[in-house]
Amino acid sequence: MNPSVEALRRIATSPATIGTYALLVVPFALGWFETQLFSPLALPGYLLFSIGTAIGNALAPRFEFWIYWAPFLVGCFGIASAVGAGYEWWCGRRSA
Amino acid sequence: MRRRTILAAGGVVVGSVTAGLASRLPTAHRSLSAARRPGDAGEASTNAEPLLPGTDHETTLYEIDAPRDGPTAMVFGGVHGDERSGIVVARQVAEWRPDAGTLVVVPETNRVAVENGEREGVDGDLNRHFPADREPLTDLARGIWDAVERYDPDVVLDLHRSLGIRGLHREFVGQAVYHSPDARGEELAAALDDAVPWYLPFHRFAASETNLSGPLLFQKAARELGASAYLFETTEFLLDREARVELTRLAAAHVLDMHGLLDAEGER
């Protein structure tokens, strides 16, 4: 396999990537499903989603807020991948 | 997928569910308890009468007289027919038992709009039909205003909900208390914030003193009758129906408490 593709696959499936993604999305999704289930763990996802909707609403006021789930999920994966890349780089340095 | 990856994901999910369940908020509140229980002075008496009888707009007004003298408060729900939390709570308020004064409730102010589940009724937005220095613009608005003038309330509370959050989303006004200059909007917003967890910072309530020259029902009541008037707005943004109803119920209880209709501090 191409080394760069292999590196991307490793980052995408890194425990740091998956863990960060789950941390950003799952607590927030729980609270979105039922308000009473919001917890302090939902704060990062809450801030990302709220600020995202504020920007989106300023640019395109006619969209309903559920539309912003798509960019939210993609954005969270971007952040999680950055964390995963850092984690893989740190693991590589440690084992070198 | 490697075992440590599955463990990391599983750990976050389990931790999130646990944290969510552990941080469920208590809903009991002194003002609400006082609103629901009859006071020591005896039972309040309730009277229901039709407003605009025999017309398409016919709706029910509830008058609840407490055993002790006190101020008169009017609570309106359903000025906008699709704002269900205000309607649900106004119906509940019609069954509350004030300790003093008179509580007047119109749960479905714009009944046609409520039945259609739409913001506006047949004549447009009812909450723009109460201009300054003029008669209300429509039959419905005049019928509502006649009742307001007849009771000459000391306090008026109009219950609404918005789609977004004031200051975060352009043109939306959620999680806010609009109030007349002599009303206690800051105090109400602060009391409501006790029910908003610190980890939902955008959902904290803002108090905003209203310009009394506008055409809204609560503005006309403040302007022409000198009432302490409030317009309450919760939000649909990230709040489910139960949470919106709870916040609206708290707002109604706090207003009645602050203005002396409930004795939340008294011994029961």
Side-chain angles (χ1 to χ4, degrees), chain B residues 228-248:
Chain B
S228 295
Y230 301 85
L231 186 146
F232 172 80
E233 293 271 9
T234 184
T235 184
E236 267 193 28
F237 181 69
L238 301 180
L239 295 185
D240 58 23
R241 181 179 181 277
E242 192 180 332
R244 293 194 300 274
V245 166
E246 182 64 16
L247 287 171
T248 308

Side-chain angles (χ1 to χ4, degrees), chain A residues 17-85:
Chain A
T17 303
I18 302 292
T20 303
Y21 190 67
L23 190 61
L24 289 172
V25 172
V26 174
F28 175 71
L30 273 174
W32 178 82
F33 180 71
E34 188 181 331
T35 307
Q36 283 277 322
L37 292 178
F38 269 122
S39 70
L41 289 176
L43 182 60
Y46 169 86
L47 292 174
L48 284 171
F49 189 87
S50 298
I51 292 168
T53 58
I55 295 167
N57 186 244
L59 297 174
R62 64 197 171 89
F63 289 139
E64 293 186 29
F65 290 124
W66 63 265
I67 292 280
Y68 295 98
W69 268 97
F72 170 71
L73 292 173
V74 171
C76 285
F77 194 73
I79 294 169
S81 296
V83 173

Side-chain angles (χ1 to χ4, degrees), chain B residues 204-232:
Chain B
R204 293 181 70 79
F205 279 87
S208 179
E209 189 176 308
T210 188
N211 176 355
L212 292 186
S213 64
L216 280 62
L217 173 59
F218 89 117
Q219 291 171 325
K220 190 172 182 75
R223 181 173 60 232
E224 297 184 18
L225 303 178
S228 295
Y230 301 85
L231 186 146
F232 172 80

Side-chain angles (χ1 to χ4, degrees), chain B residues 164-226:
Chain B
I165 292 184
R166 180 176 182 263
L168 187 68
H169 303 122
R170 197 181 281 184
E171 94 251 16
F172 291 122
V173 292
Q175 300 297 87
V177 172
Y178 295 87
H179 62 94
S180 58
D182 67 328
R184 295 157 69 176
E186 297 281 352
E187 190 179 334
L188 175 59
L192 289 167
D193 279 342
D194 288 345
V196 179
W198 63 266
Y199 42 86
L200 302 180
F202 294 125
H203 282 76
R204 293 181 70 79
F205 279 87
S208 179
E209 189 176 308
T210 188
N211 176 355
L212 292 186
S213 64
L216 280 62
L217 173 59
F218 89 117
Q219 291 171 325
K220 190 172 182 75
R223 181 173 60 232
E224 297 184 18
L225 303 178

Side-chain angles (χ1 to χ4, degrees), chain B residues 80-105:
Chain B
H80 292 142
D82 60 345
E83 300 179 0
R84 305 299 305 178
S85 50
I87 299 162
V88 168
V89 169
R91 286 178 185 148
Q92 295 174 1
V93 173
E95 296 177 359
W96 286 2
R97 298 291 171 259
D99 296 291
T102 301
L103 175 57
V104 181
V105 189

Side-chain angles (χ1 to χ4, degrees), chain B residues 117-175:
Chain B
E118 295 173 348
R119 176 183 172 87
E120 300 183 356
V122 289
D123 297 315
D125 187 340
L126 174 60
N127 215 22
R128 300 295 183 275
H129 292 168
F130 301 93
D133 305 324
R134 288 166 61 194
E135 280 284 293
L137 300 182
T138 61
D139 289 342
L140 172 59
R142 280 188 287 275
I144 298 298
W145 184 248
D146 284 347
V148 177
E149 282 190 313
R150 178 155 47 95
Y151 283 101
D152 191 14
D154 304 287
V155 183
V156 168
L157 171 63
D158 191 5
L159 302 171
H160 289 259
R161 76 96 182 86
S162 182
L163 299 177
I165 292 184
R166 180 176 182 263
L168 187 68
H169 303 122
R170 197 181 281 184
E171 94 251 16
F172 291 122
V173 292
Q175 300 297 87

